[in-house]
Amino acid sequence: MSMDGLKVSLNSRCADVIIGDIDILKQAPEHMLKAGLGDMLAKYVSIAEWRIAHIITGEYYCERVAQLIRTALKKCVDNAEGLLKRDETAVQAVFEGLVIGGVAMAYAGVSRPASGVEHYFSHVWDMRGLEFGTQVDLHGIQCALGTLLAARLYEAIKKVTPDEKKAAAYVEQFSFPDWCETLRSFVGAGAETMIAQEAKEGKYNKATHAARFAKIRDNWEEIVKIIDDEIPSAAQIEKILVTIGIEPSVSQLDLTSDDAKVTFRATKDIRDKYVLGRLLWDLGKL
């Protein structure tokens, strides 16, 4: 939902029954089929970030819930080639995967099992669309593009060596007022809600940064292993997108590479959730 210009998740009652008639679902518009699988691809990143956040911030994590998502996602990807042919197994895999994503979030009590930084790319683009009338697409299509961008960034981050002095220097020179002005110009009215959240979140607090950096430094090998274990290469993600007919470029949303860069920097301000942008800020590499 959009509240005060910001995309938010509202608590609601879970469904008692969900009916998915495959004969009907397989006749969905092709673009919606693509979007369904696009949203499932996001789960590669969401599980990785959930595990990483558990290490750095001590956030609750459940391996059984994560495994539910991995199993559903694998079934979707294994059958991706049949999706645009309206193959029943492929369509059913996507439908069940999306339902399992909802079940997993209900079990965990948080959105972590199903969404991470890739969803926040989509949220920022939607917010800009509402404010400025810029081009948007279905949520699942945008999440697929966000997943590709995140995969590229995670490949790059694996080459980083945490450097305490450089990270501290970066944090010291970071100007929150300057960043607020960038947010206002890029997102519009919704930026005010994002900015106000900082008073509660304290993600830019220089005093708490040192403790997070220590966790990152001491667990860096494990963090890199999580990225390797959970997130396919960007080339693999791109191949899946091409297979289902999603152009693997933000240019389809009339976005430039500079727009994508600012979008990424804004993803860390959407929610009080430790995602890739916050990790790179803590490393002094954003």
Side-chain angles (χ1 to χ4, degrees):
M1 303 293 292
S2 179
M3 295 181 67
D4 299 324
L6 181 68
K7 298 291 285 188
V8 299
S9 296
L10 301 179
N11 287 328
S12 59
R13 188 178 181 280
C14 287
D16 292 315
V17 177
I18 300 173
I19 299 173
D21 187 325
I22 303 303
D23 287 335
I24 294 173
L25 292 174
K26 71 181 183 181
Q27 299 305 322
E30 186 177 275
H31 205 54
M32 292 181 73
L33 293 173
K34 296 177 183 180
L37 182 54
D39 194 287
M40 283 303 298
L41 293 178
K43 285 33 171 178
Y44 285 124
V45 177
S46 65
I47 296 300
E49 290 188 333
W50 197 14
R51 292 179 64 190
I52 291 169
H54 175 65
I55 290 172
I56 298 170
T57 70
E59 180 183 329
Y60 157 82
Y61 169 74
C62 178
E63 176 59 26
R64 288 181 68 187
V65 171
Q67 191 54 41
L68 276 176
I69 294 289
R70 292 189 196 101
T71 302
L73 174 56
K74 184 178 186 303
K75 189 174 180 182
C76 289
V77 173
D78 286 349
N79 290 281
E81 289 188 3
L83 189 65
L84 299 190
K85 300 172 186 174
R86 303 181 184 276
D87 175 75
E88 290 191 4
T89 302
V91 173
Q92 183 169 331
V94 172
F95 170 71
E96 289 181 352
L98 294 170
V99 172
I100 288 168
V103 170
M105 288 188 284
Y107 280 158
V110 291
S111 62
R112 275 290 191 189
S115 89
V117 70
E118 75 299 316
H119 269 61
Y120 298 167
F121 277 100
S122 180
H123 292 342
V124 171
W125 294 331
D126 284 345
M127 290 166 64
R128 296 190 78 230
L130 287 168
E131 181 77 11
F132 304 120
T134 51
Q135 188 172 337
V136 294
D137 208 324
L138 294 180
H139 172 74
I141 301 293
Q142 294 182 165
C143 282
L145 295 174
T147 300
L148 176 60
L149 294 176
R152 289 174 179 163
L153 288 161
Y154 272 112
E155 283 184 354
I157 205 175
K158 289 190 295 183
K159 301 170 186 174
V160 169
T161 299
D163 185 313
E164 188 168 2
K165 288 184 179 179
K166 289 183 179 178
Y170 175 88
V171 168
E172 188 60 37
Q173 61 80 40
F174 176 77
S175 170
F176 182 56
D178 287 350
W179 172 235
C180 290
E181 289 309 305
T182 300
L183 273 180
R184 290 185 178 107
S185 64
F186 191 71
V187 179
E192 300 306 327
T193 309
M194 297 166 77
I195 292 165
Q197 287 180 165
E198 176 57 20
K200 291 187 299 180
E201 296 171 3
K203 58 185 173 293
Y204 301 126
N205 186 310
K206 294 169 184 176
T208 57
H209 167 258
R212 288 197 306 273
F213 183 87
K215 288 277 190 181
I216 294 167
R217 179 197 61 217
D218 295 346
N219 295 278
W220 188 243
E221 286 187 10
E222 185 177 354
I223 290 169
V224 170
K225 187 176 186 304
I226 288 171
I227 297 168
D228 281 333
D229 288 348
E230 301 287 359
I231 304 177
S233 69
Q236 288 172 291
I237 297 291
E238 185 168 332
K239 184 179 178 182
I240 297 169
L241 298 192
V242 171
T243 296
I244 61 173
I246 297 178
E247 181 187 343
S249 169
V250 295
S251 62
Q252 65 178 284
L253 298 177
D254 200 26
L255 292 165
T256 65
S257 61
D258 285 342
D259 292 331
K261 289 175 184 177
V262 181
T263 300
F264 173 59
R265 289 166 61 202
T267 57
K268 67 188 184 310
D269 297 271
I270 288 277
R271 297 274 193 284
D272 188 10
K273 188 188 284 189
Y274 200 87
V275 292
L276 177 57
R278 296 196 183 187
L279 174 59
L280 281 169
W281 190 87
D282 281 343
L283 285 164
K285 293 288 186 179
L286 188 58

